[in-house]
Amino acid sequence: MKFQAIKGVRDILPPESALWNHVEQAAREVFRTYGYGEIRTPEFELARLFEHSVGDETDIVTKELYSWIDSPKVNRALRRVRAKAIAAAYRAIHNDPAVREELIKEMEAGAFDTLNEVNRISLRPEATASVVRAYIEHGMQARPGNVKLYYLGPMFRRERPQKGRYRQFYQIGAELLGPSDHPALDAEVIEMLLAFFARVNLQGANLYINSIGDRNCRPAYVERLRGELQKVRDKLGADSQRRIETNPLRVLDSKLPEEQPIIDTLPHIADHLCDACREHYTELKRQLALRKIEYEENWRLVRGLDYYMRTTFEITAPGLGSQNAVCGGGRYDGLVELLGGPAATKGIGFAIGTDRLMLSLQDAGTAEACGLQVFLAWFGAATYPAAVDLARKLREHHLSVELPAQEMKFGKSLSLADRLGARFAVIVGEDELAAGQFTVKRLADGDQRKLAEADLLDYLTKSRTA
Ligand code: ATP
Ligand code: MG
């Protein structure tokens, strides 16, 4: 039997994985300099955590959550009932009394008694909810200053797979939790994000910002928006029509070409912010300018998750088609309280779509070669011990080395070195050994020299960083 990875997930193989490591390492280094520490949370949590924080009306929760019932007893019962139901369907008997009977029997035997919230589990579609859950669970508000956390890892959403959109995808994210909501914190989070993008040499990124108000001013704006949308209901697509009731802000997110002229006429939230939110937004822009950060305001940037308030931001990058957002973030001051933590804790954070970042880096041709440095060719059985010894020493000097297990012909071995993308071939032959020297050949231009071991180590180590 032959197997394939299922729809919407994929394998990340070398050499591409080397670029992933490089990018993740850069994130760790940059975030550390801003005082962030890594948090590792589980990849699955109670379904209710996501429903409650991300929002019951969001696509993530209504359509995209991977959930299951984590109870062997319930699942056994369901399997038995289902087996009967399928059998009944085959017999084209609707409302088969046998199925009903079976279900009642299972219920009476108490199979479903234990089915409750703790049995419903979801793969995480994002990590902010988990980070906040962990913050509360471990009483991290007692820690001094702001709590600054970053994470790296897979997220799961059952979306329609396409370029830059997968069912298992990866995020690099950071969260700042603490008592203050000062806009300087928002600006510093954005600064850190851009410092990371600069470190990995992402070209052509654009920052968009917006403020979506808070619980004082947003409800009135949302009502206003709903009123305006009702007037143009007929001209909207099915999704937007539904959202008039469930989540009018999300209409602003629509990418349907025919809806664009209508959306252009809708009221802007900037004109409906309360004084406190307007001041917060003005100060954010001043703080960004102070850091020489360029941005564009986008009044339609509302983000898909319910917990955002005030500052929202997004970063786009080239080479991604319509999936061009590489990072989304914003302020979520009410989330800690919503999940049962101290009301005084405010929060802001972002999540970078690592898969899309990689696509953009590869598209820009900035992917660095992270490959093989030395191909160690040995000739004559007597030279093998010396080759093994040299390989170990080179690796101790952090060089990546390929040592053939069996002797190869000279031409074959150099051709393999070439195809493996090695930068150098080091040749260990009987003559070389007798002279206490090794021949090293730079494969890019054929430059060749004979060096004693200490000089060889020196030469290769220097060229590694060059
Ligand atoms: P989009 O509008 O592109 O669907 P989103 O608003 O759902 O993005 P967030 O929940 O804010 O995205 O997640 C942050 C980032 O994670 C996005 O900017 C994107 O780069 C990435 N991302 C989100 N969903 C996926 C996915 N299914 N596959 C790959 N990357 C994703
Ligand atoms: Mg999405």
Side-chain angles (χ1 to χ4, degrees), residues 389-429:
D389 196 49
L390 181 63
R392 195 192 65 248
K393 285 182 186 146
L394 294 174
R395 288 169 178 148
E396 280 167 5
H397 282 74
H398 305 266
L399 292 152
S400 71
V401 178
E402 180 69 20
L403 174 69
Q406 287 172 299
E407 187 172 359
M408 297 171 75
K409 293 225 161 64
F410 189 79
K412 271 210 166 151
S413 112
L414 282 199
S415 132
L416 179 59
D418 209 42
R419 282 182 292 135
L420 288 174
R423 292 188 63 203
F424 295 95
V426 171
I427 293 151
V428 188

Side-chain angles (χ1 to χ4, degrees), residues 181 186 209-222 249 252 268-282 284 298-303 305-313 329-335 346-347:
D181 62 356
D186 306 37
I209 63 166
N210 191 23
S211 173
I212 55 169
D214 63 6
R215 26 184 168 200
N216 294 320
C217 52
R218 191 165 44 186
Y221 170 73
V222 169
L249 273 183
L252 304 183
H268 290 204
I269 188 151
D271 303 326
H272 295 82
L273 295 178
C274 59
D275 290 346
C277 285
R278 195 170 337 103
E279 276 161 34
H280 192 274
Y281 190 40
T282 307
L284 167 66
N298 177 2
W299 71 277
R300 288 176 54 177
L301 187 65
V302 291
R303 318 273 316 114
L305 296 76
D306 276 359
Y307 51 63
Y308 284 113
M309 59 178 286
R310 288 193 172 163
T311 310
T312 56
F313 56 92
R331 181 161 277 292
Y332 48 83
D333 293 342
L335 184 59
K346 314 284 201 299

Side-chain angles (χ1 to χ4, degrees), residues 356-374:
R356 292 189 197 171
L357 175 59
M358 293 302 161
L359 282 172
S360 191
L361 291 177
Q362 282 162 348
D363 191 76
T366 47
E368 315 180 358
C370 305
L372 185 63
Q373 284 146 341
V374 179

